Short mmCIF file of all heavy atoms in Angstrom, two decimals:
data_model
loop_
_atom_site.label_atom_id
_atom_site.label_comp_id
_atom_site.label_asym_id
_atom_site.label_seq_id
_atom_site.Cartn_x
_atom_site.Cartn_y
_atom_site.Cartn_z
N MET A 1 0.82 -1.18 0.01
CA MET A 1 0.01 0.02 0.00
C MET A 1 0.87 1.26 0.00
O MET A 1 1.89 1.27 0.65
CB MET A 1 -0.91 0.03 1.22
CG MET A 1 -1.92 -1.09 1.28
SD MET A 1 -3.10 -0.92 0.01
CE MET A 1 -4.61 -0.71 0.94
N GLN A 2 0.42 2.23 -0.70
CA GLN A 2 1.12 3.49 -0.78
C GLN A 2 0.17 4.61 -0.33
O GLN A 2 -1.00 4.61 -0.66
CB GLN A 2 1.59 3.80 -2.17
CG GLN A 2 2.61 2.83 -2.74
CD GLN A 2 2.94 3.13 -4.21
OE1 GLN A 2 2.18 3.78 -4.91
NE2 GLN A 2 4.06 2.61 -4.65
N LEU A 3 0.73 5.58 0.37
CA LEU A 3 -0.06 6.77 0.77
C LEU A 3 -0.32 7.57 -0.51
O LEU A 3 0.59 7.94 -1.20
CB LEU A 3 0.73 7.59 1.79
CG LEU A 3 0.04 8.83 2.30
CD1 LEU A 3 -1.26 8.53 3.02
CD2 LEU A 3 0.99 9.64 3.19
N VAL A 4 -1.60 7.83 -0.79
CA VAL A 4 -1.94 8.58 -2.02
C VAL A 4 -2.55 9.93 -1.74
O VAL A 4 -2.53 10.80 -2.60
CB VAL A 4 -2.90 7.75 -2.93
CG1 VAL A 4 -2.16 6.51 -3.44
CG2 VAL A 4 -4.16 7.36 -2.21
N ALA A 5 -3.10 10.16 -0.50
CA ALA A 5 -3.72 11.46 -0.21
C ALA A 5 -3.84 11.65 1.30
O ALA A 5 -4.03 10.69 2.03
CB ALA A 5 -5.09 11.59 -0.85
N ILE A 6 -3.71 12.92 1.72
CA ILE A 6 -3.99 13.31 3.09
C ILE A 6 -4.96 14.48 3.04
O ILE A 6 -4.71 15.47 2.37
CB ILE A 6 -2.72 13.74 3.85
CG1 ILE A 6 -1.74 12.59 3.91
CG2 ILE A 6 -3.08 14.23 5.26
CD1 ILE A 6 -0.40 12.94 4.55
N GLU A 7 -6.13 14.34 3.67
CA GLU A 7 -7.17 15.34 3.66
C GLU A 7 -7.50 15.81 5.06
O GLU A 7 -7.38 15.02 5.99
CB GLU A 7 -8.46 14.80 3.03
CG GLU A 7 -8.27 14.21 1.63
CD GLU A 7 -9.51 13.47 1.20
OE1 GLU A 7 -10.63 14.05 1.31
OE2 GLU A 7 -9.38 12.33 0.79
N PRO A 8 -7.96 17.03 5.26
CA PRO A 8 -8.40 17.49 6.56
C PRO A 8 -9.61 16.65 6.96
O PRO A 8 -10.42 16.27 6.14
CB PRO A 8 -8.76 18.94 6.38
CG PRO A 8 -8.37 19.32 5.02
CD PRO A 8 -8.05 18.09 4.25
N GLY A 9 -9.71 16.35 8.25
CA GLY A 9 -10.86 15.63 8.78
C GLY A 9 -11.49 16.41 9.89
O GLY A 9 -11.54 17.61 9.84
N LEU A 10 -11.96 15.68 10.89
CA LEU A 10 -12.49 16.29 12.09
C LEU A 10 -11.40 17.10 12.76
O LEU A 10 -10.21 16.93 12.44
CB LEU A 10 -12.99 15.21 13.05
CG LEU A 10 -14.06 14.30 12.49
CD1 LEU A 10 -14.28 13.12 13.44
CD2 LEU A 10 -15.36 15.05 12.28
N PRO A 11 -11.74 18.04 13.67
CA PRO A 11 -10.68 18.78 14.36
C PRO A 11 -9.68 17.84 14.99
O PRO A 11 -10.04 16.86 15.64
CB PRO A 11 -11.45 19.57 15.42
CG PRO A 11 -12.83 19.70 14.86
CD PRO A 11 -13.09 18.45 14.09
N HIS A 12 -8.40 18.09 14.78
CA HIS A 12 -7.27 17.31 15.32
C HIS A 12 -7.13 15.95 14.64
O HIS A 12 -6.46 15.07 15.21
CB HIS A 12 -7.36 17.17 16.85
CG HIS A 12 -7.56 18.48 17.55
ND1 HIS A 12 -6.57 19.44 17.57
CD2 HIS A 12 -8.63 18.98 18.21
CE1 HIS A 12 -7.07 20.51 18.25
NE2 HIS A 12 -8.25 20.24 18.62
N PHE A 13 -7.74 15.75 13.51
CA PHE A 13 -7.63 14.51 12.76
C PHE A 13 -7.40 14.78 11.30
O PHE A 13 -7.74 15.86 10.80
CB PHE A 13 -8.90 13.65 12.91
CG PHE A 13 -9.05 13.04 14.26
CD1 PHE A 13 -9.68 13.74 15.28
CD2 PHE A 13 -8.58 11.73 14.53
CE1 PHE A 13 -9.82 13.20 16.56
CE2 PHE A 13 -8.71 11.20 15.79
CZ PHE A 13 -9.36 11.90 16.79
N GLU A 14 -6.85 13.84 10.58
CA GLU A 14 -6.73 13.94 9.15
C GLU A 14 -7.10 12.59 8.53
O GLU A 14 -6.99 11.55 9.19
CB GLU A 14 -5.34 14.34 8.71
CG GLU A 14 -4.22 13.40 9.10
CD GLU A 14 -2.85 13.97 8.84
OE1 GLU A 14 -2.70 15.17 8.62
OE2 GLU A 14 -1.89 13.18 8.88
N LEU A 15 -7.61 12.58 7.32
CA LEU A 15 -8.03 11.38 6.64
C LEU A 15 -6.93 11.00 5.67
O LEU A 15 -6.61 11.78 4.76
CB LEU A 15 -9.34 11.65 5.86
CG LEU A 15 -9.99 10.45 5.21
CD1 LEU A 15 -10.34 9.39 6.22
CD2 LEU A 15 -11.24 10.88 4.46
N ARG A 16 -6.35 9.84 5.84
CA ARG A 16 -5.27 9.35 4.98
C ARG A 16 -5.77 8.24 4.08
O ARG A 16 -6.41 7.29 4.56
CB ARG A 16 -4.13 8.85 5.81
CG ARG A 16 -3.46 9.95 6.61
CD ARG A 16 -2.25 9.47 7.36
NE ARG A 16 -1.67 10.54 8.15
CZ ARG A 16 -0.56 10.41 8.83
NH1 ARG A 16 0.08 9.25 8.85
NH2 ARG A 16 -0.11 11.40 9.57
N SER A 17 -5.53 8.36 2.79
CA SER A 17 -5.96 7.37 1.82
C SER A 17 -4.73 6.63 1.32
O SER A 17 -3.72 7.19 0.93
CB SER A 17 -6.65 8.05 0.65
OG SER A 17 -7.80 8.70 1.10
N TYR A 18 -4.83 5.30 1.29
CA TYR A 18 -3.75 4.42 0.78
C TYR A 18 -4.32 3.60 -0.36
O TYR A 18 -5.48 3.26 -0.38
CB TYR A 18 -3.26 3.46 1.90
CG TYR A 18 -2.60 4.16 3.05
CD1 TYR A 18 -3.32 4.70 4.10
CD2 TYR A 18 -1.22 4.24 3.07
CE1 TYR A 18 -2.68 5.32 5.17
CE2 TYR A 18 -0.56 4.87 4.13
CZ TYR A 18 -1.32 5.41 5.19
OH TYR A 18 -0.68 6.04 6.22
N GLY A 19 -3.47 3.31 -1.33
CA GLY A 19 -3.86 2.51 -2.46
C GLY A 19 -2.77 1.56 -2.89
O GLY A 19 -1.62 1.80 -2.67
N CYS A 20 -3.21 0.41 -3.43
CA CYS A 20 -2.26 -0.57 -3.96
C CYS A 20 -2.34 -0.50 -5.49
O CYS A 20 -3.34 -0.84 -6.06
CB CYS A 20 -2.63 -1.96 -3.45
SG CYS A 20 -1.58 -3.26 -4.17
N PRO A 21 -1.24 -0.09 -6.11
CA PRO A 21 -1.25 0.03 -7.60
C PRO A 21 -1.34 -1.36 -8.26
O PRO A 21 -1.78 -1.44 -9.43
CB PRO A 21 0.05 0.72 -7.90
CG PRO A 21 0.90 0.54 -6.71
CD PRO A 21 0.01 0.36 -5.54
N GLN A 22 -0.95 -2.39 -7.59
CA GLN A 22 -0.96 -3.73 -8.21
C GLN A 22 -2.37 -4.35 -8.24
O GLN A 22 -2.77 -4.94 -9.25
CB GLN A 22 0.01 -4.66 -7.48
CG GLN A 22 1.46 -4.20 -7.67
CD GLN A 22 2.43 -5.04 -6.90
OE1 GLN A 22 2.05 -5.71 -5.94
NE2 GLN A 22 3.70 -4.99 -7.30
N CYS A 23 -3.10 -4.27 -7.09
CA CYS A 23 -4.42 -4.93 -7.06
C CYS A 23 -5.58 -3.96 -7.07
O CYS A 23 -6.73 -4.38 -7.20
CB CYS A 23 -4.52 -5.81 -5.82
SG CYS A 23 -4.57 -4.95 -4.25
N GLY A 24 -5.32 -2.66 -6.94
CA GLY A 24 -6.41 -1.66 -7.01
C GLY A 24 -7.17 -1.47 -5.70
O GLY A 24 -8.15 -0.80 -5.65
N THR A 25 -6.70 -2.07 -4.63
CA THR A 25 -7.33 -1.96 -3.32
C THR A 25 -7.08 -0.56 -2.74
O THR A 25 -5.96 -0.04 -2.86
CB THR A 25 -6.82 -3.02 -2.34
OG1 THR A 25 -7.04 -4.32 -2.92
CG2 THR A 25 -7.52 -2.94 -1.00
N ASN A 26 -8.10 0.04 -2.11
CA ASN A 26 -7.98 1.31 -1.43
C ASN A 26 -8.46 1.21 -0.02
O ASN A 26 -9.43 0.51 0.27
CB ASN A 26 -8.81 2.39 -2.17
CG ASN A 26 -8.29 2.64 -3.58
OD1 ASN A 26 -7.17 2.91 -3.76
ND2 ASN A 26 -9.20 2.51 -4.54
N GLU A 27 -7.81 1.93 0.92
CA GLU A 27 -8.20 1.99 2.30
C GLU A 27 -8.04 3.43 2.76
O GLU A 27 -7.16 4.16 2.35
CB GLU A 27 -7.35 1.08 3.16
CG GLU A 27 -7.55 -0.39 2.91
CD GLU A 27 -6.80 -1.26 3.86
OE1 GLU A 27 -6.43 -0.80 4.96
OE2 GLU A 27 -6.63 -2.46 3.55
N ARG A 28 -8.92 3.85 3.72
CA ARG A 28 -8.85 5.19 4.28
C ARG A 28 -8.85 5.05 5.80
O ARG A 28 -9.57 4.24 6.36
CB ARG A 28 -10.05 6.02 3.83
CG ARG A 28 -10.07 6.20 2.31
CD ARG A 28 -11.31 6.82 1.80
NE ARG A 28 -11.25 8.26 2.09
CZ ARG A 28 -12.23 9.09 1.90
NH1 ARG A 28 -13.42 8.67 1.51
NH2 ARG A 28 -12.08 10.36 2.17
N PHE A 29 -8.02 5.91 6.45
CA PHE A 29 -7.91 5.85 7.91
C PHE A 29 -8.01 7.26 8.46
O PHE A 29 -7.42 8.19 7.89
CB PHE A 29 -6.56 5.27 8.33
CG PHE A 29 -6.38 3.83 7.92
CD1 PHE A 29 -5.81 3.51 6.68
CD2 PHE A 29 -6.84 2.82 8.72
CE1 PHE A 29 -5.65 2.19 6.33
CE2 PHE A 29 -6.67 1.48 8.36
CZ PHE A 29 -6.09 1.17 7.14
N LEU A 30 -8.73 7.42 9.55
CA LEU A 30 -8.81 8.68 10.27
C LEU A 30 -7.71 8.63 11.32
O LEU A 30 -7.70 7.79 12.19
CB LEU A 30 -10.18 8.82 10.93
CG LEU A 30 -10.51 10.14 11.52
CD1 LEU A 30 -10.48 11.24 10.47
CD2 LEU A 30 -11.88 10.08 12.19
N MET A 31 -6.71 9.55 11.19
CA MET A 31 -5.56 9.56 12.06
C MET A 31 -5.56 10.79 12.97
O MET A 31 -5.84 11.91 12.50
CB MET A 31 -4.28 9.59 11.22
CG MET A 31 -4.13 8.47 10.23
SD MET A 31 -3.81 6.86 10.98
CE MET A 31 -2.20 7.14 11.66
N SER A 32 -5.23 10.61 14.22
CA SER A 32 -5.13 11.75 15.12
C SER A 32 -3.82 12.49 14.81
O SER A 32 -2.83 11.87 14.39
CB SER A 32 -5.15 11.33 16.58
OG SER A 32 -4.00 10.53 16.88
N ILE A 33 -3.83 13.81 14.92
CA ILE A 33 -2.64 14.58 14.66
C ILE A 33 -2.35 15.52 15.86
O ILE A 33 -3.23 15.72 16.69
CB ILE A 33 -2.77 15.44 13.37
CG1 ILE A 33 -3.99 16.36 13.42
CG2 ILE A 33 -2.83 14.53 12.14
CD1 ILE A 33 -4.12 17.30 12.26
N ALA A 34 -1.16 16.06 15.92
CA ALA A 34 -0.79 16.96 17.02
C ALA A 34 -1.57 18.27 16.95
O ALA A 34 -1.93 18.73 15.89
CB ALA A 34 0.71 17.24 16.97
N THR A 35 -1.81 18.88 18.12
CA THR A 35 -2.48 20.16 18.18
C THR A 35 -1.48 21.24 17.78
O THR A 35 -0.30 21.01 17.64
CB THR A 35 -3.01 20.42 19.60
OG1 THR A 35 -1.90 20.50 20.48
CG2 THR A 35 -3.97 19.37 20.02
N ALA A 36 -1.96 22.45 17.66
CA ALA A 36 -1.08 23.58 17.28
C ALA A 36 -0.04 23.79 18.36
O ALA A 36 1.08 24.29 18.06
CB ALA A 36 -1.95 24.82 17.14
N ALA A 37 -0.30 23.45 19.59
CA ALA A 37 0.66 23.60 20.68
C ALA A 37 1.75 22.55 20.68
O ALA A 37 2.68 22.59 21.46
CB ALA A 37 -0.05 23.62 22.03
N GLY A 38 1.56 21.53 19.83
CA GLY A 38 2.56 20.48 19.72
C GLY A 38 2.27 19.25 20.58
O GLY A 38 3.00 18.27 20.50
N ALA A 39 1.15 19.26 21.32
CA ALA A 39 0.80 18.11 22.15
C ALA A 39 -0.06 17.16 21.30
O ALA A 39 -0.79 17.57 20.41
CB ALA A 39 0.03 18.53 23.36
N SER A 40 0.05 15.89 21.57
CA SER A 40 -0.73 14.90 20.87
C SER A 40 -2.10 14.75 21.53
O SER A 40 -2.18 14.66 22.75
CB SER A 40 0.01 13.56 20.84
OG SER A 40 -0.77 12.58 20.22
N ILE A 41 -3.15 14.65 20.72
CA ILE A 41 -4.48 14.39 21.24
C ILE A 41 -4.58 13.02 21.85
O ILE A 41 -5.12 12.79 22.87
CB ILE A 41 -5.56 14.55 20.11
CG1 ILE A 41 -5.56 16.01 19.58
CG2 ILE A 41 -6.92 14.17 20.58
CD1 ILE A 41 -5.84 17.04 20.60
N ASN A 42 -4.01 12.06 21.09
CA ASN A 42 -4.03 10.65 21.57
C ASN A 42 -2.55 10.21 21.58
O ASN A 42 -1.94 10.11 20.56
CB ASN A 42 -4.86 9.80 20.60
CG ASN A 42 -4.89 8.35 20.97
OD1 ASN A 42 -4.14 7.93 21.87
ND2 ASN A 42 -5.71 7.59 20.30
N SER A 43 -2.08 9.89 22.78
CA SER A 43 -0.63 9.57 22.90
C SER A 43 -0.25 8.35 22.05
O SER A 43 0.87 8.17 21.71
CB SER A 43 -0.25 9.35 24.36
OG SER A 43 -1.00 8.27 24.89
N ASN A 44 -1.22 7.51 21.73
CA ASN A 44 -0.93 6.32 20.90
C ASN A 44 -1.00 6.65 19.39
O ASN A 44 -0.60 5.83 18.59
CB ASN A 44 -1.93 5.20 21.19
CG ASN A 44 -1.78 4.69 22.57
OD1 ASN A 44 -0.68 4.70 23.15
ND2 ASN A 44 -2.87 4.21 23.17
N ARG A 45 -1.46 7.83 19.05
CA ARG A 45 -1.64 8.24 17.66
C ARG A 45 -2.30 7.11 16.87
O ARG A 45 -1.89 6.73 15.80
CB ARG A 45 -0.30 8.63 17.04
CG ARG A 45 0.25 9.91 17.62
CD ARG A 45 1.51 10.40 16.91
NE ARG A 45 1.28 10.67 15.52
CZ ARG A 45 0.87 11.81 14.97
NH1 ARG A 45 0.58 12.83 15.78
NH2 ARG A 45 0.77 11.96 13.67
N GLY A 46 -3.39 6.62 17.41
CA GLY A 46 -4.08 5.50 16.81
C GLY A 46 -4.83 5.88 15.55
O GLY A 46 -4.93 7.03 15.19
N SER A 47 -5.38 4.90 14.90
CA SER A 47 -6.12 5.13 13.66
C SER A 47 -7.45 4.39 13.73
O SER A 47 -7.61 3.43 14.46
CB SER A 47 -5.34 4.68 12.47
OG SER A 47 -5.18 3.26 12.49
N ILE A 48 -8.41 4.91 12.96
CA ILE A 48 -9.74 4.31 12.83
C ILE A 48 -9.99 4.12 11.36
O ILE A 48 -9.98 5.06 10.62
CB ILE A 48 -10.81 5.20 13.47
CG1 ILE A 48 -10.50 5.52 14.92
CG2 ILE A 48 -12.17 4.57 13.31
CD1 ILE A 48 -11.35 6.59 15.51
N ALA A 49 -10.22 2.89 10.93
CA ALA A 49 -10.55 2.65 9.54
C ALA A 49 -11.93 3.20 9.22
O ALA A 49 -12.82 3.07 10.04
CB ALA A 49 -10.48 1.15 9.23
N VAL A 50 -12.05 3.88 8.08
CA VAL A 50 -13.35 4.42 7.65
C VAL A 50 -13.71 3.94 6.30
O VAL A 50 -12.89 3.53 5.52
CB VAL A 50 -13.38 5.98 7.69
CG1 VAL A 50 -13.33 6.48 9.12
CG2 VAL A 50 -12.26 6.57 6.90
#
């Protein structure tokens, strides 16, 4: 899988899209990102498949 796009999501999150050029499979994940102050919203920086 290759990262193909990063889009703004909910506050403090971004939507990352991955695709496989060989099989055509696509997946999207909602990822937590750091706040403007530099602190992490979720210390595990976990992801949620969407």
Side-chain angles (χ1 to χ4, degrees):
M1 295 293 242
Q2 296 176 339
L3 180 63
V4 294
I6 299 176
E7 304 170 50
L10 301 170
H12 309 292
F13 288 87
E14 61 190 15
L15 186 60
R16 294 185 182 183
S17 299
Y18 294 84
C20 177
Q22 295 176 339
C23 69
T25 302
N26 296 306
E27 293 186 18
R28 298 172 79 187
F29 296 92
L30 189 60
M31 303 289 294
S32 65
I33 57 174
T35 64
S40 177
I41 296 301
N42 180 350
S43 61
N44 294 332
R45 293 187 57 89
S47 65
I48 303 169
V50 291

